[in-house]
Amino acid sequence: MPTKKQTAYTNLGIPPGKKVIISIDGGGMRGIFTVQLLKKLEEIAGSPCYEWCDMVAGTSTGAIIAGLILKKNDANKIEEYYMNLVSRVFTKRNFLANRYYNPPAFDKKNYRNLLKQIIGDSTLEELSLANQLDCMFTAKDLAAGEETFFTCINNNGVADGTYKTALLRAVMETTMSAPTYFSPLERFVDGGTTTYNNPTMAAVLEALTYTGKNKYDANKLVVFSFGTATTLRFIDPKETNEPKGPDALFWLNYVMDETSKDASEMQIDMLRSGLVKGLDLRRYQLSLDTKAIRLLPNKNIVHIPEVEADTLHELDDQVLSNIDMADVTKFPLMKTIGEAVAEFICPPAQAALPMNKRKGNWFQKDFTKPKSTRGTLVTAHGEWQTIQRNLASKTWLEAQRTC
């Protein structure tokens, strides 16, 4: 009789002898979207992730989910914990607290207390050895001016990692301490403030060239990389010099959001390019815009408060582009969107068919458009002809504003 791991490998199209990394992006309350994908992944696998994956990696909200996997929770239990955590973590510090004028906006007291209840005082080393599961979490060290990888690798019963004795709950607080939203944990802020809001590249580097180099091999590695849905801001060139609202706030939000998004996409582009030979990358992401949303099953959302639409397809770009990571009123909407994406990946009508007859992705391979390295549900607007014409024109150049 096959083991749970063997069954999961068969169901997910993972060749025997390979190792599996599950990597989860940051994104605040939008992590509930990702939990829906994990629930479907475990349903297809036939068992919880911790039964068959070898390493979990996460940043910020992704680290919360990865940490709960490390504690041997299945996706349904993670959803239960996650809903409790998120509903209480965004607790206003006081009436006057504000991200921009009186930061931080929120107090981490409830989050810290809940983590102590859920996680206890287990260290990375204790959990890695007990549960046969490697881990990696990211945080930005302000004092050292560099990203820190909190890693523990189980090498034949011996734990390896500079910070292996760190409390998991301490690490989970470092990586979610997003500036302006939360206060730092002493020297640490959210790992997503630099290039590792998507920790996939960091996890691959850690596994292949750093702590895990004697355990992992690129030719025998499958990486499931989960986004938390990304907001793409398409701005008309005529509006770039006159943004809506105060300029400083517009550009602060734009730079904070776009820097991590661009870094995330660049990492995925590099991994999809074949730069790491032999790597089997399976990336699952959605961009929050009408073009991508209308590819999904048109779920009813009339029951969701504070959303002026009856179905997903009625949502407009104004609503979708303003789903902030701390906006818990959009939590039910992000859950429903996650459920729709899970159905898009694994269409229910194909469930009774043999795997070779199914046309959906079913977590069998990278989630990209045919003959492309662009994500199936990630929108991009390109106007290369206009750019080519304008940047070759002296008249156009001289007509542009200089201040």
Side-chain angles (χ1 to χ4, degrees):
M1 184 174 179
T3 65
K4 290 181 179 179
K5 185 168 187 173
Q6 289 169 335
T7 299
Y9 272 40
T10 298
N11 293 347
L12 296 171
I14 302 171
K18 293 210 173 187
K19 294 188 184 301
V20 175
I21 295 175
I22 292 178
S23 173
I24 307 171
D25 292 12
M29 68 83 196
R30 295 201 301 254
I32 192 62
F33 161 90
T34 314
V35 173
Q36 307 316 303
L37 305 190
L38 289 176
K39 285 166 64 178
K40 181 59 69 173
L41 178 72
E42 291 188 347
E43 179 186 321
I44 303 306
S47 58
C49 295
Y50 63 79
E51 298 275 7
W52 46 266
C53 77
D54 297 277
M55 177 193 286
V56 289
T59 294
S60 197
T61 201
I64 295 174
I65 298 169
L68 291 170
I69 294 174
L70 183 61
K71 280 283 291 184
K72 297 185 71 172
N73 291 287
D74 64 24
N76 286 305
K77 190 64 176 178
I78 289 171
E79 181 176 59
E80 180 184 324
Y81 281 139
Y82 191 83
M83 292 177 74
N84 193 20
L85 280 164
V86 170
S87 66
R88 296 175 64 184
V89 69
F90 293 108
T91 304
K92 289 284 285 187
R93 184 167 54 87
N94 57 50
F95 178 73
L96 297 175
N98 180 282
R99 282 186 63 204
Y100 305 107
Y101 307 115
N102 186 21
F106 306 108
D107 189 334
K108 294 187 294 185
K109 178 174 65 175
N110 286 340
Y111 178 76
R112 187 176 295 173
N113 289 337
L114 281 168
L115 277 190
K116 187 174 183 179
Q117 295 171 26
I118 295 169
I119 304 298
D121 291 327
S122 300
T123 67
L124 302 186
E125 179 178 22
E126 290 167 347
L127 291 169
S128 179
L129 293 178
N131 301 335
Q132 299 294 300
L133 192 55
D134 299 332
C135 61
M136 193 220 72
F137 308 95
T138 71
K140 175 70 175 182
D141 183 340
L142 297 176
E146 63 183 14
E147 195 82 9
T148 298
F149 298 165
F150 293 99
T151 303
C152 189
I153 303 290
N154 181 349
N155 274 310
N156 297 316
V158 178
D160 191 10
T162 303
Y163 301 107
K164 64 184 181 181
T165 59
L167 298 176
L168 173 59
R169 66 185 178 96
V171 172
M172 290 169 73
E173 185 174 332
T174 68
T175 187
M176 60 72 68
S177 297
T180 71
Y181 289 101
F182 302 104
S183 62
L185 181 62
E186 203 235 8
R187 65 195 292 153
F188 292 108
V189 294
D190 192 317
T193 56
T194 54
T195 57
Y196 293 109
N197 192 58
N198 173 357
T200 307
M201 179 68 82
V204 170
L205 286 171
E206 192 70 26
L208 298 182
T209 64
Y210 299 143
T211 314
K213 64 182 179 181
N214 296 320
K215 182 175 181 177
Y216 292 87
D217 181 340
N219 290 303
K220 298 179 180 179
L221 183 59
V222 177
V223 179
F224 288 94
S225 173
F226 292 98
T228 53
T230 182
T231 300
L232 301 183
R233 288 179 170 80
F234 303 115
I235 302 171
D236 190 300
K238 297 175 183 177
E239 298 177 1
T240 55
N241 284 308
E242 298 293 342
K244 296 177 181 178
D247 285 19
L249 295 186
F250 173 85
W251 288 113
L252 174 63
N253 280 326
Y254 186 85
V255 169
M256 285 181 68
D257 292 342
E258 294 297 302
T259 300
S260 66
K261 180 189 73 65
D262 287 351
S264 170
E265 291 305 313
M266 177 58 71
Q267 290 176 57
I268 295 302
D269 287 344
M270 289 175 66
L271 291 174
R272 282 177 171 158
S273 73
L275 192 64
V276 181
K277 302 295 183 184
L279 178 69
D280 181 351
L281 173 70
R282 306 180 189 186
R283 169 71 170 173
Y284 296 89
Q285 177 66 304
L286 165 80
S287 57
L288 291 167
D289 59 83
T290 53
K291 185 175 181 180
I293 290 291
R294 288 169 187 168
L295 295 174
L296 304 177
N298 193 21
K299 287 187 169 291
N300 188 306
I301 56 172
V302 69
H303 61 288
I304 297 177
E306 300 188 40
V307 176
E308 295 182 3
D310 292 337
T311 67
L312 288 182
H313 290 188
E314 292 177 21
L315 292 169
D316 59 31
D317 282 326
Q318 180 67 23
V319 172
L320 292 166
S321 65
N322 285 290
I323 301 180
D324 185 79
M325 68 173 232
D327 186 358
V328 293
T329 67
K330 299 298 191 300
F331 194 76
L333 177 60
M334 288 305 305
K335 183 177 186 292
T336 303
I337 291 174
E339 292 168 345
V341 172
E343 287 187 17
F344 184 93
I345 295 168
C346 304
Q350 300 174 17
L353 299 174
M355 191 59 74
N356 61 357
K357 299 291 185 181
R358 298 177 186 178
K359 295 184 179 180
N361 178 274
W362 293 88
F363 298 107
Q364 303 291 304
K365 58 184 179 181
D366 200 5
F367 192 44
T368 56
K369 296 174 183 176
K371 300 179 181 179
S372 169
T373 57
R374 172 65 61 179
T376 302
L377 296 176
V378 177
T379 303
H381 292 176
E383 296 183 85
W384 65 267
Q385 297 97 332
T386 301
I387 296 170
Q388 184 184 63
R389 181 178 63 254
N390 287 346
L391 294 186
S393 168
K394 291 181 288 186
T395 303
W396 175 88
L397 178 61
E398 297 301 331
Q400 302 309 301
R401 286 176 50 173
T402 59
C403 67

